[in-house]
Amino acid sequence: MQPSTQGVRLPRLALISLLLALAAPVQAQAPQVQLNGMLGARAALLIIDGEPRTLAVGSEARGVKLVSLHDGQAVIEMAGQRQTLVMGAAPARVLGATDSTPRQIVIPASASGHYTVGGAINGQPASFLVDTGATNVALSQVEADKLGLRYQQGKRVSIQTANGVAPGYQIDVASIRIGEVEVRNVTTIVTPAQIGHVLLGNSFLKRFQMHRENDVMTLDLRN
C-alpha cells in the first residue's frame, strides 16, 4: 500500500489560501468629513473622522482635498469623487465611491437629532434636511431664486403656511445630487415661506430603501 499524500497536500493548500487572503487588498472606508469653520475663501477647518484639520484651498490631508470655498460651503474631493459640505451640517459619507454607480448615502444625525447633509440641485450647492413627513421636496422662493430655478413657469398650487393658504409652485427639478448619488426629475414645491434648508421629502426619498440604526440613516438607491 502506497502512503497517502492527502495529509501533506491539504495543509499546503490551506496555507496558500491563507496567504492569498492576507494579500488581498482591503477597501478603505471613506472618511467622514464636516465643515466646521472658514477663513475667508482661503482655508477651512474640517473635521475628518473626528480630528480637526485646517486646510488651505488646494491642499490635502488624510485623503481629503479642499477644492474650493464659497457662501459657507466647501467642495472637497476624496478618491476622485467631489462632495459639497455645508457649514454646521452633520458629517456625511457617500459609500461605494469606487463603484461605477454609487448607490448608498449614509447620513449621521446632527447634535439636534436632525439629518442634514450638503448636496446640489441642478449642480448648484444646497443644504438639505431629511423630512419623511413631507410629500415632496420643498424649498423657499428665496432659495429657488438663488439656485436659478424658473419656478414661475411651473404649476401653481396652494400651500398651507403658518399664516394661512399661500400660492406656490410645483416643478420638476432636473437633478438632486448628494455626493455622487444623483436622482433626476424630482417633484419639488417652491413656497413663499422661509425655510432654512431644502426639505428632502418623499419625492426624493421614495427612490431609496431607507433604514435607521442608532443615529445613522442609510439610503440605498432602488433599482
Side-chain angles (χ1 to χ4, degrees):
M1 177 183 296
Q2 293 188 1
S4 172
T5 60
Q6 291 183 353
V8 176
R9 290 177 180 171
L10 287 178
R12 287 181 179 175
L13 291 174
L15 179 59
I16 292 172
S17 297
L18 177 60
L19 291 174
L20 289 175
L22 292 175
V26 178
Q27 184 175 2
Q29 190 178 47
Q32 287 189 346
V33 187
Q34 183 178 17
L35 176 60
N36 205 48
M38 296 174 59
L39 301 175
R42 304 185 317 260
L45 174 61
L46 302 180
I47 308 298
I48 306 175
D49 283 339
E51 179 184 345
R53 300 295 294 264
T54 300
L55 291 183
V57 173
S59 62
E60 183 176 340
R62 300 185 63 177
V64 178
K65 181 179 180 180
L66 179 59
V67 178
S68 64
L69 291 169
H70 53 86
D71 295 333
Q73 300 178 336
V75 177
I76 62 171
E77 184 174 286
M78 296 183 290
Q81 308 295 325
R82 291 195 175 187
Q83 182 171 345
T84 300
L85 305 179
V86 178
M87 185 84 74
R93 177 170 58 215
V94 177
L95 301 182
T98 58
D99 298 337
S100 58
T101 305
R103 305 188 64 82
Q104 189 178 78
I105 305 170
V106 177
I107 311 175
S110 65
S112 62
H114 296 121
Y115 294 94
T116 56
V117 64
I121 293 179
N122 294 349
Q124 298 299 314
S127 175
F128 297 97
L129 170 66
V130 176
D131 186 353
T132 56
T135 303
N136 296 301
V137 171
L139 72 164
S140 69
Q141 291 182 3
V142 173
E143 183 70 13
D145 289 334
K146 179 181 176 182
L147 294 171
L149 300 178
R150 298 180 179 178
Y151 57 89
Q152 296 91 341
Q153 300 177 6
K155 177 183 177 181
R156 292 182 66 86
V157 294
S158 296
I159 301 172
Q160 184 67 46
T161 70
N163 297 320
V165 178
Y169 299 88
Q170 178 179 308
I171 60 174
D172 287 332
V173 167
S175 167
I176 292 181
R177 178 185 292 267
I178 297 177
E180 292 302 310
V181 179
E182 182 181 33
V183 174
R184 304 190 68 83
N185 300 322
V186 182
T187 301
T188 301
I189 298 297
V190 179
T191 170
Q194 294 297 318
I195 306 176
H197 295 78
V198 177
L199 300 182
L200 207 57
N202 287 305
S203 57
F204 177 88
L205 298 175
K206 70 181 180 182
R207 312 283 185 94
F208 295 83
Q209 182 69 41
M210 181 195 324
H211 67 271
R212 280 177 277 194
E213 184 175 352
N214 298 323
D215 291 330
V216 177
M217 175 180 290
T218 302
L219 303 176
D220 290 292
L221 191 62
R222 298 180 188 272
N223 293 327

